[in-house]
């Protein structure tokens, strides 16, 4: 068995989210160094504020300012901060009940070590130098032994409200395609295409995924297919994809490689787009460094008879 | 309230759970388990009325990965199929309701998760509130550690008692050939204080499958079906600072609705990935000291994400199949600090 392939895979996404009236006020407040909570119908103040009461489901809109000082309700010492976390030096995760609030906010506490942290300790907000209207406008909390902070009685109305946030996320993976697809990719590096035959229905799947989707059994018998094949169906692409250096219009087709029972897809070149047709016989064109065929071009054979590929449509 | 139709777990299978299964794609890892439960019941894929799976794209970093896994089921000609972006225990709940409606007499439920391609501590941050919490990237161990500290402050446990939970679980797992961490395991250093390495679950890959059947069909397929006497799931507020982290009212309510408190259980398979969470659950589920908790080793011995909850139901059912238990409780959790909880009560026929 060839060695299983591996490659780094990075998934990054900047989720753009709109804010409702309560979240908008809270995050705008952070930008202006004001911490807001929301008052429930039974008189509690929730910080961070939510739009619906988690107990009664009442709609909540009554914003009230709370103090930037508070009390730690629980904590955990994080000696090895991870990417994206608020501080890159050891810190405590804390839930902090701000003065004037009935619930606690999750954030980081900058403290010299775990011996300097305890439940019940007093802390205050350390504001970030640059603030944009995000939870990270609170850089972290810091120990504080003074009086409860002042609140200005803000009602949550600001000029120039923050109405949306972008939350970037990045996750790093090492992708491994498994046994069947590794063998497929290894063969491609030798410019061969291999599928796998189902032991029950005898169909040859390409690319193989290790299972027959009809019979639900493992496939293992390798079968070389192609290199030539038949266009079973196609479409004409008129929109240029970003980062893709192909002139439009071009043809994208399903191609049944000889010996395969499943069509794979590829681009058709070497023929005007409006002359591509079902049944066209094609062959792969490899570019020098390509890990797979760059495109398929007419093989110069007569068209395949419809009867020979109709099952693969 | 007694269900309107008797539904039972009639077969259960699971992979060996391992730190990494690079050489296998998800469907390659899953397929032997599917065949195991089919073989055990003598059913073919075409005999299954309903199929439901649990998994998440975030583990492997690939969109719609569950559609690939369907290749292992035999989804052509078209089958009746559904998927939950949750632990497979919730897929089992959906299949159970499907059987209750009478639309189906048999169901295949499976779950798979490969944590090895990424960093599961980071991946799980993406299930958190995206406005106030996820931008801070608090990882799963950090959140569990906040809960553990709250329990210690409340006098419900201490680090020594937590180490005892870890030790008991992995000692039990010595008899479970599928488990990933077995026998004597040192508590190790703090990961996020007060939780040490031994208080945390292993990170691993695995899959599991269950077959459900209704009424007489269950008796045909299994010598001693594990009847689902009740099953319920509940959720709490997503805001951690709104909740009392030392308690699990959602687990208690689910247990009550599942009928867990009507009579004592002998066995409890709890999905408590962290030692401190077992402390919370024992209290919330009112488990007496003589209840055999996690004889399989539980999630501290193997915690394939999206699978470990279904494994709890499967392990509880397997004890009934084998006749080593007559009434068992199975629990699954999802979300930070036991935010969501599912409880099932399983019974064998009287002997
Ligand atoms: Zn087949």
């Amino acid at each position: 068995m060839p060695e299983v392939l591996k490659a780094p895979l990075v998934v990054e996404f900047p989720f753009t989210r709109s804010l409702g009236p309560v979240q908008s006020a809270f995050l705008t407040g952070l930008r202006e160094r004001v911490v807001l909570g929301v008052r429930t119908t039974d008189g509690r103040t929730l910080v961070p504020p939510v739009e619906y009461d988690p107990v009664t489901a009442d709609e909540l809109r009554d914003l009230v300012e709370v103090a930037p000082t508070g009390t730690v309700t629980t904590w955990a010492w994080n000696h090895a901060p991870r990417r994206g976390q608020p501080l890159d030096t050891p810190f405590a995760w804390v839930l902090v009940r701000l003065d004037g609030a009935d619930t606690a906010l999750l954030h980081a506490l900058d403290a010299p070590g775990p011996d300097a942290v305890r439940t019940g300790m007093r802390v205050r907000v350390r504001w970030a130098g640059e603030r944009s209207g995000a939870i990270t406008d609170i850089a972290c909390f810091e120990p504080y032994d003074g009086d409860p902070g002042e609140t200005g009685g803000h009602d949550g109305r600001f000029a120039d409200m923050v109405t949306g946030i972008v939350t970037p996320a990045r996750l790093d993976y090492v992708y491994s395609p498994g046994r069947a697809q590794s063998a497929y990719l290894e063969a491609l590096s030798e410019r061969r295409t291999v599928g796998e035959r189902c032991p029950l229905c005898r169909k040859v799947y390409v690319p193989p995924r290790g299972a027959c989707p009809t019979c639900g059994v493992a496939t293992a018998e390798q079968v070389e297919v192609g290199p030539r094949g038949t266009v079973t169906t196609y479409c004409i692409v008129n929109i240029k994809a970003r980062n893709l250096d192909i002139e439009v219009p071009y043809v994208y087709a399903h191609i049944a490689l000889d010996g395969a029972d499943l069509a794979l897809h590829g681009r058709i070149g070497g023929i005007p787009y409006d002359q591509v047709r079902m049944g066209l016989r094609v062959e792969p064109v490899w570019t020098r460094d390509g890990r797979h065929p760059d495109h398929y071009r007419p093989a110069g054979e007569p068209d395949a008879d419809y009867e020979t590929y109709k099952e693969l449509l | 309230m007694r269900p309107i139709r008797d539904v039972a777990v009639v077969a259960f299978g699971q992979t060996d759970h391992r730190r990494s299964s690079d050489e296998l794609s998800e469907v390659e890892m899953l397929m032997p388990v599917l065949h195991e439960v089919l073989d055990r019941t003598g059913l073919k894929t075409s005999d299954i009325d309903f199929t439901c799976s649990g998994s998440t794209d975030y583990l492997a970093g690939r969109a719609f990965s569950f559609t690939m896994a369907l290749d292992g089921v035999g989804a052509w000609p078209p089958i009746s199929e559904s998927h939950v972006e949750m632990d497979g225990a919730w897929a089992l709940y959906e299949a159970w309701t499907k059987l209750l409606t009478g639309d189906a007499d048999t169901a295949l439920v499976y779950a798979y998760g490969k944590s090895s391609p990424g960093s599961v501590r980071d991946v799980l941050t993406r299930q958190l509130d995206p406005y106030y919490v996820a931008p801070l990237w608090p990882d799963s161990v950090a959140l569990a550690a906040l809960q553990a500290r709250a329990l210690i402050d409340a006098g419900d446990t201490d680090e020594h008692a937590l180490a005892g939970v870890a030790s008991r679980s992995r000692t039990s797992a010595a008899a479970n050939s599928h488990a990933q961490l077995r026998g004597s395991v040192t508590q190790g250093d703090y990961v996020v204080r007060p939780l040490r390495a031994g208080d945390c679950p292993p990170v691993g890959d695995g899959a599991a499958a269950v077959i459900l059947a209704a009424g007489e069909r269950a008796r045909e397929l299994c010598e001693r079906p594990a009847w689902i006497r009740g099953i319920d799931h509940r959720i709490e507020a997503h805001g951690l600072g709104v909740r009392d982290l030392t308690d699990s009212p959602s687990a208690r309510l689910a247990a009550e609705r599942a009928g867990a408190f009507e009579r004592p259980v002998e066995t409890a398979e709890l999905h408590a990935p962290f030692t401190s969470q077992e402390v919370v659950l024992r209290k919330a589920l009112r488990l007496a000291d003589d209840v055999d908790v996690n004889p399989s080793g539980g999630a501290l011995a193997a915690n394939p994400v999206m699978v470990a909850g279904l494994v709890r139901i499967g392990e509880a059912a397997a004890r009934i199949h084998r006749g080593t238990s007559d009434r068992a409780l199975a629990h699954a959790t999802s979300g930070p600090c036991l935010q969501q909880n599912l409880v099932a009560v399983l019974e064998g026929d009287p002997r």
Side-chain angles (χ1 to χ4, degrees), chain A residues 152-174:
Chain A
H154 206 288
D155 65 0
R157 278 191 284 262
F158 300 90
D160 183 24
M161 298 286 282
V162 176
T163 57
I165 56 169
V166 177
T167 45
R170 175 188 168 130
L171 295 169
D172 285 74
Y173 301 91
V174 176

Side-chain angles (χ1 to χ4, degrees), chain A residues 6 17 23 48-49 74-77 79 82 85 93 104 119 135 167 173-174 176 179-180 209-210 212-214 216, chain B residues 22-23 28 31 35 58-59 71 74-76 117 119 121-122 130-132 136-137 139 142 146 149-150 153 190 193 241:
Chain A
K6 288 183 180 185
R17 297 179 176 276
Q23 291 174 322
T74 186
W75 62 282
W77 186 255
H79 66 84
R82 301 170 74 80
Q85 294 182 343
W93 289 106
T119 298
I135 190 66
T167 45
Y173 301 91
V174 176
S176 177
R179 180 199 57 80
R209 294 205 294 257
C212 173
T214 304
Chain B
D22 285 343
E23 75 284 9
E28 288 167 344
M31 217 164 6
H35 290 296
Y58 278 77
L59 284 180
D71 284 353
W76 180 268
S119 164
R121 284 175 72 181
D122 297 326
Y131 302 97
Y132 301 158
L136 306 175
W137 293 82
D139 60 279
L146 287 168
R149 169 60 58 193
D153 286 339
Y190 287 117
R193 191 167 174 165

Side-chain angles (χ1 to χ4, degrees), chain A residues 7 22 32 37 69 98 106 141 147 150 175 189 258 269-270 308 312:
Chain A
V22 171
E32 307 302 326
T69 56
L98 293 170
L106 177 77
F141 283 88
D147 295 329
E150 296 285 312
Y175 178 65
S189 70
D258 295 345
T308 63
L312 301 177

Side-chain angles (χ1 to χ4, degrees), chain A residues 198 200-201 205 212 214-215:
Chain A
C198 172
L200 297 182
C201 68
Y205 291 98
C212 173
T214 304
C215 306

